[in-house]
């Protein structure tokens, strides 16, 4: 029985490692400047934990095999183990995991803790059950004032835009995100009700939207196209419907879009969403 269990554990180990190593179910290609650094960090982590996992499972199988029940009458002996070894592998594990955390935090922090570069394209994002609202500043590059008391879903004022503010005149609010390629974009993320999560896998970006907070994040997409945008937080019954698209547009096309009025913007957005196909999945 001990031998059989050992073999099962080894087979499971090989299968688990194979699932990752064959890369059949893997990330879509990166479309952001920080993507490759994040992928490198991910690979480093997966290789190190993969080695630790394999060593632990092979060792577990070996112990099952070696100390299996036998009929030769030998009695089990007690071992207290080794305090020195305990301390050693605890320290090694701590160093490895804290080290990986420290290495990874520079990419993470550069997108979240550092201010966006000056001249970044800004979009205000307001999430709600179960819809994404993207608020664009329009031609004047100034966001109209928003206030919770102006929020009125039935008259389609999802973000609470103050219509009396002159800066709001050229603003647009649509349910899809359009940003320029090769230029930093800053998102200001808010939620009206519960926690949602902005997630575009090829962008290598995921960030929660928390009620009561305006969370600023920034990134630079470097490939034109249409990408799926999902809510990655189970936010209610219709959570699965909370999806949209992110369009990464050539600079000129983006500029032309930003100059349009709300209705034209909406129509043009529809046209662009039809124009760009989703990337092929492999
Ligand atoms: Cu959601």
């Amino acid at each position: 029985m001990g031998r059989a269990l050992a073999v099962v554990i080894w087979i499971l180990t090989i299968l688990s490692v194979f699932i990752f190593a064959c890369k059949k179910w893997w990330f879509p290609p990166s479309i952001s400047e920080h993507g490759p650094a994040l992928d490198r960090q991910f690979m480093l982590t997966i290789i190190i934990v993969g080695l630790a996992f394999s060593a632990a499972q092979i060792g577990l199988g070996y112990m099952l095999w070696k100390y299996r029940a036998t009929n030769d009458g030998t009695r089990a002996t007690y071992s207290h183990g080794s305090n020195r070894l305990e301390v050693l592998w605890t320290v090694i594990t701590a160093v490895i995991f804290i080290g990986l955390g420290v290495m990874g935090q520079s990419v993470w922090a550069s997108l979240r803790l550092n201010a966006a570069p000056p001249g970044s394209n800004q979009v205000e994002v307001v999430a709600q059950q179960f819809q994404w609202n993207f608020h664009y500043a329009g031609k004047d590059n100034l966001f109209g004032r928003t206030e919770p008391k102006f929020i009125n879903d039935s008259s389609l004022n999802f973000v609470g835009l103050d219509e009396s503010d002159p800066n709001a005149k050229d603003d647009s609010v649509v349910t899809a995100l359009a940003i320029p390629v090769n230029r930093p974009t800053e998102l200001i993320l808010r939620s009206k009700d519960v926690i949602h999560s902005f997630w575009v896998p090829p962008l290598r970006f995921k960030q929660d939207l928390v009620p009561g907070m305006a969370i600023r994040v920034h990134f630079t997409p470097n490939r034109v196209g249409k990408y799926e945008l999902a809510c990655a937080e189970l936010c209610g019954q219709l959570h699965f419907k909370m999806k949209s698209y992110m369009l990464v547009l050539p600079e000129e096309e983006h500029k032309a879009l930003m100059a349009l009025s709300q209705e034209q913007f909406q129509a043009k957005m529809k046209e662009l969403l039809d124009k760009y196909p989703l990337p092929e999945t492999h």
Side-chain angles (χ1 to χ4, degrees):
M1 193 64 193
R3 279 184 192 165
L5 198 51
V7 171
V8 168
I9 284 174
W10 289 332
I11 290 173
L12 283 177
T13 308
I14 291 166
L15 282 177
S16 310
V17 172
F18 173 76
I19 286 170
F20 284 92
C22 76
K23 282 197 165 186
K24 180 158 169 47
W25 301 276
W26 205 249
F27 307 139
S30 154
I31 60 149
S32 62
E33 269 181 7
H34 68 273
L38 211 134
D39 287 357
R40 268 197 304 278
Q41 185 66 31
F42 181 87
M43 273 317 284
L44 181 67
T45 305
I46 204 96
I47 287 170
I48 290 174
V49 297
L51 288 173
F53 168 78
S54 303
Q57 299 307 306
I58 290 167
L60 178 64
Y62 171 75
M63 290 297 170
L64 282 168
W65 185 289
K66 187 164 182 215
Y67 297 107
R68 66 188 182 277
T70 51
N71 294 325
D72 60 6
T74 43
R75 298 189 57 185
T77 52
Y78 172 76
S79 159
H80 183 66
S82 159
N83 283 347
R84 194 186 293 173
L85 272 178
E86 287 280 354
V87 170
L88 188 69
W89 63 55
T90 305
V91 169
I92 291 173
T93 311
V95 167
I96 288 174
F97 283 98
I98 293 169
L100 283 173
V102 169
M103 281 172 73
Q105 70 91 36
S106 64
V107 182
W108 192 90
S110 68
L111 305 169
R112 290 173 169 84
L113 302 182
N114 301 352
S120 292
N121 165 61
Q122 280 188 324
V123 184
E124 293 201 336
V125 186
V126 179
Q128 69 184 82
Q129 289 172 317
F130 299 92
Q131 179 179 317
W132 292 101
N133 304 296
F134 297 97
H135 177 190
Y136 301 88
K139 240 188 298 190
D140 64 359
N141 241 333
L142 294 167
F143 286 102
R145 190 174 46 237
T146 55
E147 262 192 70
K149 67 174 178 193
F150 294 122
I151 289 176
N152 188 342
D153 286 6
S154 52
S155 65
L156 306 183
N157 192 353
F158 297 109
V159 304
L161 199 59
D162 180 356
E163 309 284 358
S164 67
D165 179 12
N167 291 337
K169 293 279 178 272
D170 63 348
D171 288 17
S172 296
V173 178
V174 299
T175 56
L177 177 60
I179 53 175
V181 72
N182 293 330
R183 211 181 117 199
T185 280
E186 179 177 41
L187 300 182
I188 301 142
L189 303 163
R190 291 190 178 88
S191 168
K192 275 159 71 173
D193 36 45
V194 298
I195 298 176
H196 299 277
S197 187
F198 173 94
W199 188 33
V200 182
L203 190 64
R204 300 291 188 275
F205 211 96
K206 187 194 261 181
Q207 173 63 49
D208 279 6
L209 296 87
V210 184
M213 290 178 81
I215 298 172
R216 286 169 182 266
V217 295
H218 58 95
F219 48 79
T220 306
N222 56 10
R223 199 180 301 177
V224 167
K226 177 170 84 171
Y227 308 97
E228 281 182 301
L229 190 172
C231 176
E233 187 71 53
L234 184 55
C235 57
Q237 247 182 351
L238 299 179
H239 157 69
F240 70 96
K241 284 183 84 173
M242 195 167 165
K243 53 186 180 180
S244 181
Y245 293 103
M246 181 182 86
L247 279 174
V248 179
L249 300 172
E251 182 76 45
E252 282 311 304
E253 208 164 24
H254 177 262
K255 218 169 137 189
L257 182 68
M258 291 304 128
L260 299 177
S261 69
Q262 167 87 31
E263 283 94 69
Q264 293 170 317
F265 192 121
Q266 213 126 27
K268 184 72 187 171
M269 199 72 177
K270 247 183 131 183
E271 193 188 309
L272 290 169
L273 285 168
D274 287 337
K275 174 181 162 185
Y276 288 101
L278 280 173
E280 278 180 34
T281 46
H282 54 98

